Amino acid sequence: MKITGEKTLKNSEGKTLITQQAVLPYFKLGNNVFKDVSVGFFSGELKTQNVSYLGADMLRRFIWIFDAERKMAYIKPSKYFSEPYYKMN
């Protein structure tokens, strides 16, 4: 991945949380291939963050249906499928 940006944050205990932005060359979900996808991820001392910009963007692009056992997901493109990727500052 090509790193395009980085921010360092500190919590009240002085521990650092580094957020990095990058471009993922490609991402395949089902039969769909996405190219040059903007992604954000956490590194540093605190790696327990549960936010994912890639995940949120992909959730928006599809209509998701999970079976009762949660062993299978069915997806189809939503009206946001062709929208530009989310860009982090």
Side-chain angles (χ1 to χ4, degrees), residues 10-15:
K10 289 193 177 199
N11 70 6
S12 60
E13 295 178 343
K15 293 184 179 179

Side-chain angles (χ1 to χ4, degrees), residues 19-62:
T19 63
Q20 292 185 317
Q21 298 80 41
V23 175
L24 189 63
Y26 74 93
F27 176 73
K28 185 174 181 183
L29 180 62
N31 294 326
N32 302 287
V33 177
F34 300 91
K35 295 183 180 181
D36 298 324
V37 179
S38 295
V39 296
F41 56 94
F42 299 98
S43 60
E45 297 175 35
L46 298 174
K47 295 183 181 178
T48 59
Q49 303 301 313
N50 57 7
V51 175
S52 168
Y53 294 111
L54 173 67
D57 194 79
M58 288 298 133
L59 283 172
R60 181 178 76 130
R61 290 179 189 280
F62 294 93

Side-chain angles (χ1 to χ4, degrees), residues 65-73:
I65 300 173
F66 298 93
D67 73 3
E69 304 291 317
R70 293 190 180 237
K71 294 181 182 179
M72 177 72 81

